[in-house]
Amino acid sequence: MTLATVKLFTSLLTLLAIASIGASSACEEFLDGLLEKVQQDDLDSLTPEEELTLKYSAHKPESMGDRTLCTDDVRMTFLVAMSEGLERGLCLPIACKESEITSEPTLAEKVYRIHNWPINTYKEEPKILDPIHGQGAPGVMFYITTLLFAFFILTNIIFTLIGLWKDRSQKEQNIPAKSQPSFKTHWGFKAFDLIGGVKSLWRTAKEQNQDDNISVFGFLRTFAMLWVCLYHAKGQVEHFVDNEQYEESFNPSFSRVLADQGALAVDLFFTMGGFFGALMLIPRIQKGGSNIKSYLHSIQHRFLRIWPMIMMSLLFYWFVMEYINKGMFWWKLDALSKDCDVVGWTKILMVDNLVLYNNGFKNCMLWQWYLSADLQIYCALIIVMGVYLKNRKIGYFLAIFLVIQGFSVGLFNAIYYNVRYWNGGWNFFRHFYYLPYVRWTTFFIGVVFGIMYFEYKKLKMTKYNFFAFCEDHPRISYLFAALGLGTLLFGVGFIRTYQLHPESWSNAFRSAWNPTSRLFMASTVVLLFKSQLIQKKSWIKSFFNLRLFQICGKLSYAFYLYHEIVGTILI
């Protein structure tokens, strides 16, 4: 770091500090002035902000309308004060930072005296609680993030217009489309071409000269994504329902059980990820060679493919979301965003599933753990594929070994740490749910079948091949599909026996069901979907190949990144 950079950095910090001091002084002056007018009963000279502070304060914070009047209608800061054990709403100008009000007893006392609230020193009053929605003024990162989003949108428009202009120029000059290098092959155009992206979204795999068999997974992606959304929406609603009341109102319908078991949908994604990962990595490593340089290039390719989108959603969650005033959670968005101040670095480095704070429940894009675990498992997959290309049998053995190892470690951890299904607590996340070397059980099941499909499709190897067997025996493939549907229903619905008859489940069995239930999800992917890949006249495959499911499948990654954000601010 150069001296000039140090000076610039120090100057910026100094300006921020001065701004903070100015804001603090403005708040203190505001409280002093209002207190003086209230004590002198000089209410005729109140400023508009002082009138609003007196008008919208002292309400019970349970009233959503009062919060809205303060934060949405008049754009001020809403906090909560405790007086005689009662919560009282507090409406202040945005110059009064919530951190200052909550940490300075002298300012809090002035607030109490302004409203003539009783002070109980035995209960450590005056006390200002964390703000229900102390949005204050947007920070620097808010504007930086907004500029990034604006840059992305403008770049989309610019590249799209350039592409349209190039097409028109070629047509006017009667230049054949393939006679000169196309601007559309440039990586920038591929990344930002809006019209091309929409066209690609609408086209089926067959229309894009891709493997039409793979498009059956569009339905599975859509189903798994909707399942995850249902599960997380249920979790959001439960924040407003008493646990005992929730359990007493339990309705053992399958739809309710399906919502409760949404965590299993992740294993559908893991199994698909292993299948596609093996299918794409084999030709890439063949082309680059089984060496460290090729492995690092594959990791780089994967990282750059998913990381920018993750960072866009993280920046929005971290610096923009707290200024949105709609939805059932609008009053706590600032608290959710502030958790990122503690764990944000783990999100950026994609290690949030390994480095846990507050028992793993810091509310900063909790759902990103899957993407981090998937990237970590992908690094292990590269090694397995390198071994496979050097020795086919050892490669198969290594993949199957990791399936057994992951299941065994998961089973041991679940029983040893008493990670009971349905009520695992902290140990559930720390010793099972977030661990990549446990969750890759279903991933490497997908890898085994991904290798098989590559051998059948590209190398025409049919001996002891699952896909060749399904093509030769189409009726048995329908039986496999029925079994796959059965494993899904059983894996999801078996928990009902515990919900209805908990005494029939021992603690050891409840713990063992954690890793076992994941195997049923992997079996669903293999039996229901992969058995239909090769079929040419399968009505099941025709249904899975519908254009609607292919479109939704392509959008599933974006849905996963933003579904919790949208649900938090709009539900």
Side-chain angles (χ1 to χ4, degrees), residues 98-314:
E98 61 272 12
S99 58
E100 179 191 8
I101 296 293
T102 55
S103 62
E104 290 292 338
T106 55
L107 293 183
E109 184 176 350
K110 290 178 183 179
V111 170
Y112 276 60
R113 291 169 63 191
I114 287 172
H115 297 289
N116 197 26
W117 292 340
I119 297 177
N120 191 334
T121 55
Y122 176 74
K123 294 184 178 180
E124 297 181 353
E125 295 174 356
K127 183 178 181 182
I128 307 295
L129 304 182
D130 290 336
I132 282 187
H133 186 63
Q135 67 176 14
V140 175
M141 287 305 301
F142 169 84
Y143 295 108
I144 293 177
T145 305
T146 305
L147 288 174
L148 283 174
F149 277 98
F151 169 77
F152 183 78
I153 294 172
L154 288 174
T155 309
N156 269 279
I157 296 173
I158 291 172
F159 273 84
T160 301
L161 292 176
I162 292 176
L164 293 174
W165 174 72
K166 285 280 187 178
D167 285 346
R168 183 175 179 180
S169 299
Q170 283 190 352
K171 290 180 180 179
E172 290 178 350
Q173 299 175 18
N174 295 322
I175 299 175
K178 297 183 179 180
S179 62
Q180 62 181 15
S182 175
F183 174 78
K184 294 184 178 181
T185 60
H186 188 272
W187 68 268
F189 187 83
K190 289 182 178 180
F192 296 106
D193 178 23
L194 187 61
I195 294 179
V198 173
K199 287 181 178 179
S200 175
L201 182 66
W202 179 254
R203 291 171 183 158
T204 63
K206 189 174 183 179
E207 292 170 347
Q208 292 178 291
N209 297 320
Q210 297 175 355
D211 187 352
D212 191 36
N213 295 328
I214 304 300
S215 58
V216 301
F217 288 106
F219 175 86
L220 183 57
R221 285 173 171 169
T222 305
F223 171 75
M225 189 61 256
L226 292 176
W227 194 3
V228 169
C229 291
L230 178 64
Y231 174 64
H232 286 164
K234 177 193 74 76
Q236 289 179 326
V237 172
E238 284 178 354
H239 278 81
F240 292 88
V241 181
D242 180 75
N243 287 334
E244 293 182 1
Q245 176 186 353
Y246 178 76
E247 293 299 329
E248 290 175 359
S249 64
F250 174 71
N251 176 20
S253 63
F254 184 76
S255 59
R256 169 64 184 276
V257 175
L258 185 68
D260 288 338
Q261 302 305 302
L264 296 176
V266 174
D267 290 279
L268 299 178
F269 282 118
F270 272 133
T271 310
M272 281 189 290
F275 179 84
F276 285 114
L279 206 56
M280 292 185 293
L281 265 181
I282 294 175
R284 182 174 292 130
I285 295 178
Q286 281 181 329
K287 183 178 180 180
S290 296
N291 52 64
I292 295 179
K293 182 179 179 180
S294 176
Y295 298 161
L296 293 177
H297 178 73
S298 298
I299 295 174
Q300 177 192 23
H301 179 271
R302 178 74 169 183
F303 183 81
L304 295 179
R305 184 169 176 262
I306 67 173
W307 189 79
M309 283 288 289
I310 295 174
M311 289 304 101
M312 291 293 286
S313 59
L314 177 62

Side-chain angles (χ1 to χ4, degrees), residues 14 22 43 92 213 254 414 437 537 560:
T14 304
L43 302 183
L92 292 172
N213 295 328
F254 184 76
Y437 53 84
K537 297 182 179 180
Y560 186 82

